Amino acid sequence: MNATGVRWTAEQVLALAPDDVSRRAGSKLGTTGSWSGTGCGDGAVWGLCGGSGSTPYRTVVDTTGPAHSCTCPSREFPCEHALGLLLLRAAEGVAREGSAAPDWAVRWLAERRGRTAGAGHRTGPVPRRAIADPGAARRRAERRATLITSGARELEQRLADLLRGGLASTEQAGHAPWEETAARMVDAQAPGLAARVRELGAIPGSGPGWPVRLLEECALTHLLNRAWLAADRLPGPFAATVRTRVGLSAPADGVPVHDHWSVLAQYDTSDARLTTRRIWLHGTTSERTALLLSFGAAGRAPRLSFPVGTLLDGELTPHTGSGQLRAEPGERFVPVPGPAAPPQAGPVGAALDAYGRALGEDPWLDSWPVTLGGVVPARAAYGWQLADADGREALPLTSVAQSRPGLWRLLALSGGGPVTVFGECGHRGFAPLAAWSPEAPGETVPLV
């Protein structure tokens, strides 16, 4: 069966929604009373949705992308009409299955797939205007490296002054000195160092034991500064990790991996400047776990989105660096039928060993993807944890994970029995992202 036979579930469709407002609006449009002229075929679904005006909105979704086009004025991706149309199909409410698409849908699909095919199979010499001046690029890189080096040395002096004056003084000084130092790191074109400085500034007065946490983070920042200043003497993969940590982008120039990829999890984090979407995939043949990152301006959802629990056929190209988790998707990821089985799972001890090995390659790593097998959610004195069924070892859940509704979904799925859980294991604990029960090992239950 090809991609045309794959139908997403309502839960997978709603996972594509950029925000709660779009999710609610799309749910209201997932009924037959809102639509006319619906149909699907050749990996696409289309229809006309009545709006406030006299002319209905024309909506078409290419489910092999996914991508959509709609004549509505919404700037969200996907818009509420695309969500409603997909929900309608999930409920088998789309009329004329396998029918011919209308001209407006055919034109858009042909243009989109023509662009995709052209980008994926471009041949012949690269036009001269597309070839960058390597000398100019090298000079820009050298100028930026000089600025970052200056910033790293200034930050080293700031850390030395901090330790000389004592950590207790930072609570009285407030956040302003840290923000000033972070701004200096931005001027030095080292956003990674700026982010670490802002994290340092949030620690003083943050609760019991904050001086210990501040000293630990200062030590890691010092290690990053010294690594940058000695980057030319480091092994290639570790030097690439250091460059990424200070804020330089790492190219996606690894060996491409073609596989069937299970979508394990997708969630967003936001700050005042940026919304970051993290999508975890797992290759069914390669047994490789990969992280896709997509970004949007503050308050806007990133464009890249895959329904959790689906199986996708496509190619990923890993970025350079020690862990090589982050990757970039190819031009075309096609949904294929089949269960999205969990990755190979292990006990708590194996997860801790995996995180420890990853720290050896990247000391600044906050967490590492692991899959726990046969674990039971249990209440402890400090909160919730995931314990091996034999009670030998346990991992505490992070404070953020304990405040998410997904914790209650996990408890309901477990019912006091062992489950398989995928998540991120780090120094703050374990953050569960997806789970599977022994009764339905091919059904992914999202926890974020």
Side-chain angles (χ1 to χ4, degrees), residues 54-403:
S54 59
T55 303
Y57 297 127
R58 295 175 172 181
T59 308
V60 56
V61 181
D62 183 354
T63 58
T64 66
H68 87 284
S69 174
C70 185
T71 55
C72 75
S74 174
R75 296 177 61 189
E76 300 296 339
F77 185 89
C79 70
E80 61 194 66
H81 303 97
L83 292 171
L85 185 58
L86 289 173
L87 287 171
L88 188 66
R89 183 167 190 242
E92 300 186 358
V94 172
R96 297 193 299 278
E97 184 90 18
S99 59
D103 291 343
W104 52 268
V106 170
R107 286 194 298 271
W108 180 80
L109 288 167
E111 291 174 1
R112 168 177 159 71
R113 293 173 179 178
R115 290 194 302 269
T116 302
H121 303 87
R122 186 178 292 115
T123 59
V126 178
R128 183 175 300 275
R129 62 180 180 277
I131 301 175
D133 181 352
R138 183 179 64 254
R139 290 190 293 272
R140 286 194 298 271
E142 290 172 350
R143 285 195 297 270
R144 184 173 184 186
T146 300
L147 287 171
I148 295 175
T149 298
S150 176
R153 287 175 175 158
E154 181 178 341
L155 183 53
E156 280 291 277
Q157 186 61 52
R158 172 78 170 87
L159 295 175
D161 293 343
L162 171 65
L163 295 178
R164 190 179 298 113
L167 298 181
S169 62
T170 60
E171 191 171 14
Q172 287 76 34
H175 191 71
W178 294 106
E179 189 57 41
E180 180 182 352
T181 304
R184 298 283 294 170
M185 296 303 103
V186 172
D187 292 340
Q189 298 186 26
L193 292 180
R196 295 198 70 85
V197 170
R198 291 191 177 97
E199 291 175 2
L200 291 174
I203 295 176
S206 60
W210 70 260
V212 175
R213 296 194 297 274
L214 180 58
L215 185 60
E216 291 173 346
E217 293 302 321
C218 284
L220 285 172
T221 304
H222 166 71
L223 179 64
L224 181 56
N225 288 334
R226 302 309 302 176
W228 168 261
L229 295 174
D232 57 341
R233 300 192 297 275
L234 298 177
F238 188 63
T241 297
V242 171
R243 288 193 292 270
T244 301
R245 290 299 181 183
V246 300
L248 295 174
S249 58
D253 57 3
V255 178
V257 181
H258 188 275
D259 208 337
H260 283 181
W261 301 92
S262 299
V263 183
L264 301 179
Q266 174 177 294
Y267 67 96
D268 295 350
T269 56
S270 302
D271 57 28
R273 293 169 293 276
L274 196 67
T275 298
T276 302
R277 174 165 294 165
R278 299 167 68 88
I279 304 174
W280 285 107
L281 305 177
H282 181 74
T284 58
T285 301
S286 64
E287 290 292 330
R288 185 183 190 120
T289 302
L291 173 65
L292 308 184
L293 293 181
S294 184
F295 304 95
R300 300 196 61 81
R303 295 184 66 85
L304 187 62
S305 183
F306 296 119
V308 173
T310 54
L311 195 64
L312 305 171
D313 177 73
E315 188 175 87
L316 293 180
T317 302
H319 286 245
T320 56
S322 298
Q324 291 189 325
L325 279 177
R326 186 182 174 188
E328 295 295 332
E331 293 292 338
R332 195 170 176 85
F333 257 42
V334 182
V336 293
Q344 184 175 356
V348 168
L352 293 173
D353 288 344
Y355 179 50
R357 289 192 298 271
L359 282 175
E361 297 184 344
D362 184 354
W364 307 279
L365 192 67
D366 284 331
S367 60
W368 187 256
V370 297
T371 305
L372 303 176
V375 291
V376 180
R379 184 77 175 177
Y382 50 78
W384 288 95
Q385 62 181 12
L386 289 176
D388 289 330
D390 58 10
R392 180 174 301 179
E393 293 179 291
L395 264 175
L397 299 189
T398 64
S399 58
V400 173
Q402 297 195 49
S403 66

